[in-house]
């Protein structure tokens, strides 16, 4: 019995380490927006909870920006199949493909307008002892059976701690009627500090606002893994930061940086998780046949949400099969985790 328990423990640790290696910082976009999932912490929390309560039926916690299947094992399979941020065969710095694209002038023009609108917003006041609140609708596919089985549209609320130092409890997530703590990143035994894996408002404020410098930073800091091209990884990394409460200058710089990634295109028919059609920005992972789209309001260019879906027939389903989607509904700054904006 001891040997069996030890073997099972090693197997779960292996799953978690592989997922931690492949995932970006939860999430839709997600994430989740974003953003996350804002995102990898939610998934790692799901894995921790599934491991601790293995007798309970598996639940689906959706990553806002990309797909988050029901269990740790399913997550590992999905990520191995390419539904996550992974790396290419570029150099170790990750900047080899960093350069202005030649096939994306329409997308660059749209992102320039989105950037200008974002930069005009008034910067909020966010204290280190407060929490950034996000409310969204999310939907994702379960790949447990080897086919993409789309789950129901779900409500999600997230409270992210803004403390700059290392934290063991990063905030709270409420989904499907249950509330859970968001734990520190896997391996951060002393807590997770603010950074690309825990993007607090003040950390976002510290990022370069020059698009070229910001893009160089993102190519350097985006996690490396084998399997996918670097440009897609950085596009997804930017997507994981979008939405929510963000410094206007940082948001503007992120959009202009995204315009410089090769392969980014407009997506005229983009819709978020609740069907709102808007101005879309997309990039295709041609290797795995998956498209990720960001959706913006047609009038004020506000970020509405994101979705990802298959662009070619494969083992998970036919072209057009939805893998994940999210819709941003509310953002605020509150004093306590679990507190609604109205109560604050």
């Amino acid at each position: 019995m001891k040997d069996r328990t030890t073997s099972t423990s090693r197997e779960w640790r292996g799953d978690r380490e592989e997922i931690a290696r492949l995932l970006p910082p939860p999430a839709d976009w997600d994430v989740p927006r974003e953003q996350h999932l804002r995102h990898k912490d939610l998934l790692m929390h799901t894995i921790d909870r599934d491991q601790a309560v293995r007798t309970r039926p598996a639940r689906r916690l959706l990553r806002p920006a990309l797909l988050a299947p029901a269990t740790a094992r399913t997550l590992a399979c999905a990520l191995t199949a390419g539904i996550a941020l992974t790396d290419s065969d570029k150099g170790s710095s990750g900047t080899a493909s960093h350069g202005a694209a030649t096939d994306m002038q329409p997308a660059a023009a749209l992102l320039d307008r989105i950037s200008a609108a974002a930069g005009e917003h008034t910067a909020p006041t966010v204290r280190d002892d407060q929490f950034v609140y996000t409310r969204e609708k999310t939907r994702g596919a379960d790949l447990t059976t080897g086919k993409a089985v789309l789950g129901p549209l779900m409500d999600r609320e997230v409270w992210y701690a803004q403390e700059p130092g290392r934290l063991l409890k990063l905030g709270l997530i409420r989904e499907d009627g249950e509330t859970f703590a968001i734990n520190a990143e896997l391996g951060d035994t002393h807590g997770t500090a603010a950074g690309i894996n825990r993007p607090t408002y003040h950390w976002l404020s510290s990022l370069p606002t020059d698009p070229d410098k910001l893009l160089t930073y993102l190519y350097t800091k985006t996690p490396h893994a084998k399997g996918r091209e670097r440009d897609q990884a950085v596009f997804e990394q930017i997507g994981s930061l979008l939405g929510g409460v963000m410094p206007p200058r940082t948001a503007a710089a992120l959009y202009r940086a995204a315009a410089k990634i090769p392969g980014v295109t407009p997506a005229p028919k983009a819709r978020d998780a609740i069907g709102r059609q808007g101005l879309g920005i997309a990039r295709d992972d041609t290797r795995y046949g998956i498209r990720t789209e960001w959706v913006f309001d047609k009038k004020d260019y506000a970020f509405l949400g994101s979705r990802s879906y298959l662009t070619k027939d494969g083992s998970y389903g036919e072209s057009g099969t939805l893998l994940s989607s999210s819709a941003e509904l509310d953002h605020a700054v509150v004093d306590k985790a679990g507190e609604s904006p109205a109560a604050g």
Side-chain angles (χ1 to χ4, degrees), residues 112-125:
D112 185 69
R113 296 199 300 272
I114 294 170
S115 173
E120 292 176 355
H121 292 174
T122 301
T125 299

Side-chain angles (χ1 to χ4, degrees), residues 145-160:
T145 63
K147 293 288 186 180
V149 179
L150 192 61
L153 192 65
M154 302 178 72
D155 292 299
R156 166 180 285 160
E157 295 176 283
V158 183
W159 292 263
Y160 277 94

Side-chain angles (χ1 to χ4, degrees), residues 249-269:
R249 294 182 64 193
T250 303
L254 283 170
Y255 293 129
R256 287 198 166 97
K260 295 176 177 290
I261 299 176
V264 176
T265 63
K269 298 181 180 180

Side-chain angles (χ1 to χ4, degrees), residues 100-341:
T102 60
D103 59 343
M104 57 164 291
Q105 286 83 355
L110 174 56
L111 283 165
D112 185 69
R113 296 199 300 272
I114 294 170
S115 173
E120 292 176 355
H121 292 174
T122 301
T125 299
V126 183
R127 300 194 313 267
D128 290 346
D129 63 339
Q130 291 183 304
F131 293 79
V132 166
Y133 167 85
T134 298
R135 182 169 65 90
E136 60 192 353
K137 292 274 192 179
T138 60
R139 196 176 193 186
D142 186 346
L143 304 184
T144 305
T145 63
K147 293 288 186 180
V149 179
L150 192 61
L153 192 65
M154 302 178 72
D155 292 299
R156 166 180 285 160
E157 295 176 283
V158 183
W159 292 263
Y160 277 94
Q162 298 300 296
E163 285 284 350
R166 292 186 171 276
L167 294 179
L168 292 173
K169 299 297 181 183
L170 311 184
L172 290 178
I173 176 173
R174 181 176 295 156
E175 184 181 69
D176 197 22
E178 297 183 72
T179 302
F180 305 96
I182 303 174
N183 296 323
E185 291 289 316
L186 182 68
D188 291 347
T189 56
H190 299 292
T192 301
I196 201 165
N197 289 336
R198 185 167 77 85
T200 63
Y201 184 89
H202 288 294
W203 176 83
L204 290 166
S205 299
S206 72
L207 293 177
T209 55
D210 176 88
D212 290 309
K213 292 180 180 178
L214 178 56
L215 195 59
T216 297
Y217 176 86
L218 292 170
Y219 270 85
T220 301
K221 296 297 184 179
T222 296
H224 286 256
K226 294 181 179 180
R228 286 170 73 190
E229 59 182 89
R230 193 67 177 151
D231 294 328
Q232 185 71 16
V234 174
F235 180 78
E236 297 290 356
Q237 183 70 69
I238 293 174
S240 74
L241 299 175
L242 299 182
V245 178
M246 181 179 291
R249 294 182 64 193
T250 303
L254 283 170
Y255 293 129
R256 287 198 166 97
K260 295 176 177 290
I261 299 176
V264 176
T265 63
K269 298 181 180 180
R271 293 179 182 271
D272 67 8
I274 58 176
R276 294 179 296 187
Q277 185 171 352
L279 302 170
I281 291 293
R283 193 177 192 282
D284 288 357
D285 179 342
T286 55
R287 178 174 181 180
Y288 296 106
I290 299 171
R291 165 170 278 216
T292 298
E293 296 177 346
W294 306 336
V295 190
F296 301 89
D297 188 89
K298 294 180 179 180
K299 295 182 179 179
D300 62 7
Y301 301 111
F303 180 75
L304 297 180
S306 62
R307 67 172 180 169
S308 63
Y309 57 92
L310 298 178
T311 57
K312 61 183 180 181
D313 296 345
S315 59
Y316 289 120
E318 298 178 350
S319 176
T321 298
L322 184 68
L323 299 177
S324 69
S325 62
S326 68
E328 302 287 303
L329 300 179
D330 193 16
H331 308 287
V333 180
V334 298
D335 292 333
K336 298 178 181 178
E339 177 182 85
S340 69

